[in-house]
Amino acid sequence: MAKATNTEIIDLLGEKFGEQLFDVTEPYGLLTFSTTKDKIINVLSFLKENGKINFNFLTDLTAVHYPEKNQLAVVYHLHSMVSGIRLRLKVFIHENDATIATVSTLWNSANWMERETYDFFGIKFEGHPDLRRILNMDDLGVHPMLKQYPLEDPNRVDKKDEYFGR
């Protein structure tokens, strides 16, 4: 099977989803685009099940916190092992409503990736079979990757200017 180009994938997705996909870019040749959280399952199902592109492998699922925008981006990296192509799909959600549908029904490997993303970012994956912390302690009251803390400890004594002759 010939390797599909990014342009062919964009055209195929455009026919099916149109304006439901946006922010299409190709940084370093990696096709990247966004959709909304209510369309994510439809888009990912199409990418996995379409015979022309066959994105059968979920390489990674993670998140990024944008505190200045009060947003979280859930990021999916897919790989078509048949065609040898990769893509990245993003869904932006508000940090006060950090919920999105699970994709563990499409890829079993998403189970642990979603648990890790929940653990570190606090994103709740609706329909997940066992959504609980995977690496941090259960009684940890925060999600460590959320940028909701001061960047430096104001009580550090080794950072005082007078110690350095300033």
Side-chain angles (χ1 to χ4, degrees):
M1 174 180 278
K3 182 177 175 179
T5 65
N6 286 352
T7 305
E8 291 170 339
I9 296 169
I10 291 167
D11 291 343
L12 189 63
L13 289 168
E15 289 174 20
K16 177 77 174 170
F17 297 103
E19 299 297 316
Q20 297 170 354
L21 304 179
F22 46 91
D23 296 337
V24 179
T25 60
E26 294 183 62
Y28 304 103
L30 177 64
L31 177 60
T32 302
F33 57 92
S34 298
T35 190
T36 59
K37 75 178 189 176
D38 57 322
K39 300 295 180 195
I40 188 63
I41 296 298
N42 293 338
V43 173
L44 289 173
S45 295
F46 178 78
L47 288 167
K48 181 180 182 188
E49 296 163 4
N50 183 284
K52 286 185 179 177
I53 49 178
N54 192 20
F55 282 95
N56 55 349
F57 185 69
L58 177 67
T59 306
D60 193 21
L61 186 161
T62 190
V64 180
H65 184 209
Y66 297 97
E68 66 282 355
K69 298 178 182 179
N70 295 323
Q71 284 186 327
L72 292 158
V74 182
V75 183
Y76 303 86
H77 287 245
L78 303 178
H79 184 190
S80 172
M81 295 180 131
V82 175
S83 303
I85 50 179
R86 298 175 186 267
L87 67 77
R88 174 175 41 216
L89 175 58
K90 298 178 185 180
V91 177
F92 290 89
I93 57 178
H94 196 277
E95 68 183 11
N96 293 334
D97 182 26
T99 60
I100 193 165
T102 183
V103 296
S104 62
T105 53
L106 294 172
W107 292 282
N108 289 335
S109 61
N111 185 316
W112 288 63
M113 294 180 212
E114 288 177 349
R115 283 182 62 191
E116 180 183 40
T117 304
Y118 164 72
D119 192 358
F120 284 101
F121 292 92
I123 297 170
K124 294 179 181 75
F125 293 89
E126 296 173 335
H128 190 280
D130 186 21
L131 192 61
R132 58 189 164 99
R133 290 191 180 268
I134 192 168
L135 295 170
N136 290 302
M137 302 171 298
D138 289 336
D139 58 349
L140 183 66
V142 297
H143 298 283
M145 294 301 289
L146 294 179
K147 298 175 182 88
Q148 300 173 330
Y149 48 84
L151 293 179
E152 284 196 32
D153 181 1
N155 299 318
R156 285 184 63 178
V157 294
D158 62 330
K159 293 289 227 179
K160 304 272 187 219
D161 283 344
E162 62 264 17
Y163 293 133
F164 295 100
R166 295 180 260 185

